[in-house]
Amino acid sequence: MQRSAVVVVADKTSLKRPFIFANVVHMALCLFMLLMTIAWHRDHIQNDKLLSSASLAIMYVMEIGCLLLSVLGVVGALKGKRWCLILYATGMAAASQTIIIKTALSYQDVYQKRVVREETKLLSMMPLTATNKANRTLLYSIQQEFECCGLVEGYKDWGASIPPSCNCHSPGKCIRLRGSATLGAPKNQYVYRQPCLTIYVSELKLAFSLAMAIQFGSGVFWGVLLVMSIKLMGQMRRKQEFMALLQSNRYVPGAF
């Protein structure tokens, strides 16, 4: 009875169940990200958009690799296979250190390449009255999505030809064009008050910061899983040694 009670207490203090639960959550997240990548990839193919093969390959390798690592960790915890947990810990150590260091070192560089490049691209379209058809199409979609008009000076950037995407239907965001305030504009037309450049750049910064936070958070989460796997391996080793003592009838109460 004393031996059974000791074993039960040892099981209750084990990291086995929390470790398995954390990895099941991780597998669900990896699977979700993989499905999102596949959908994004398919959408780009259907719309004949160019993709970076290197970036796409890295995304697939990271997501599939992390999914397989979690499967390996769950198998190791359920079956008590230390070699599975050793491979799991090695993979998680490499993944967590890589993404944390990469995120920290590349933050400013990626910011400059993505956010500043997009801002410069939009400013290069000025004046809007002389921009090409492709730029107009892009601006129309931005104006509809973010409920804004023009880039720098609002509707004035379009001169006499204010596009329908500037028409405002949201109270509080509109400005009323009275009479001939803008040549060619209908009388009493309502257009969006705010220019698009500041709104669009703010949304880009927010999306960029969120993406960086997710990357860094993933690295920290992988680090936590790494620590849990190391502690679990230690518990498994001590349990095996303890059970060996029980089997050999050399257990002395109070020795541990």
Side-chain angles (χ1 to χ4, degrees):
M1 180 63 68
Q2 185 180 11
R3 293 181 181 180
S4 300
V6 173
V7 173
V8 169
V9 171
D11 287 340
K12 286 184 177 180
T13 59
S14 174
L15 278 174
K16 180 177 178 180
R17 290 183 179 178
F19 178 76
I20 292 175
F21 174 77
N23 275 280
V24 169
V25 172
H26 185 245
M27 282 190 287
L29 292 174
C30 290
L31 183 59
F32 173 75
M33 293 302 297
L34 180 59
L35 293 175
M36 291 293 291
T37 301
I38 293 173
W40 175 73
H41 188 189
R42 183 174 61 247
D43 178 68
H44 275 65
I45 292 176
Q46 291 174 349
N47 292 287
D48 295 326
K49 295 181 181 179
L50 295 177
L51 285 172
S52 173
S53 299
S55 299
L56 190 63
I58 291 174
M59 291 174 65
Y60 277 121
V61 169
M62 289 288 290
E63 290 160 1
I64 295 175
C66 291
L67 182 61
L68 294 178
L69 272 179
S70 280
V71 173
L72 189 65
V74 170
V75 170
L78 288 174
K79 301 294 184 180
K81 303 292 185 180
R82 290 192 65 204
W83 66 269
C84 289
L85 292 176
I86 291 174
L87 291 177
Y88 173 89
T90 303
M92 282 299 176
S96 61
Q97 291 181 20
T98 299
I99 197 167
I100 289 176
I101 294 174
K102 181 180 177 182
T103 302
L105 294 179
S106 65
Y107 183 90
Q108 189 63 30
D109 182 55
V110 175
Y111 177 85
Q112 292 291 333
K113 286 182 178 179
R114 294 186 182 179
V115 178
V116 176
R117 181 180 59 192
E118 288 296 320
E119 184 176 7
T120 304
K121 177 182 175 182
L122 289 178
L123 287 174
S124 67
M125 298 179 186
M126 296 291 292
L128 301 186
T129 53
T131 192
N132 58 44
K133 184 178 180 180
N135 289 341
R136 285 175 178 270
T137 302
L138 174 61
L139 288 169
Y140 294 165
S141 63
I142 291 175
Q143 289 176 159
Q144 289 179 340
E145 181 177 357
F146 296 103
E147 298 185 339
C148 53
C149 184
L151 286 177
V152 180
E153 296 186 63
Y155 68 89
K156 296 179 182 179
D157 291 337
W158 289 106
S161 303
I162 300 177
S165 56
C166 280
N167 292 341
C168 182
H169 307 287
S170 302
K173 295 184 178 181
C174 305
I175 184 172
R176 185 179 183 182
L177 303 183
R178 298 180 180 274
S180 58
T182 300
L183 295 177
K187 292 183 178 180
N188 299 324
Q189 179 182 5
Y190 287 88
V191 297
Y192 291 116
R193 181 189 306 273
Q194 289 186 296
C196 293
L197 184 62
T198 53
I199 298 176
Y200 186 68
V201 171
S202 296
E203 290 295 326
L204 279 179
K205 290 179 180 179
L206 178 61
F208 171 78
S209 299
L210 182 60
M212 291 292 103
I214 290 174
Q215 287 186 16
F216 189 81
S218 298
V220 173
F221 183 47
W222 293 344
V224 172
L225 292 176
L226 167 64
V227 173
M228 291 179 69
S229 67
I230 294 174
K231 289 184 174 292
L232 182 59
M233 283 189 285
Q235 288 183 349
M236 289 170 57
R237 179 180 58 80
R238 289 193 296 270
K239 184 177 179 180
Q240 290 174 353
E241 293 174 352
F242 182 68
M243 294 303 294
L245 287 175
L246 290 179
Q247 293 295 332
S248 62
N249 292 319
R250 290 186 289 108
Y251 170 69
V252 178
F256 289 86

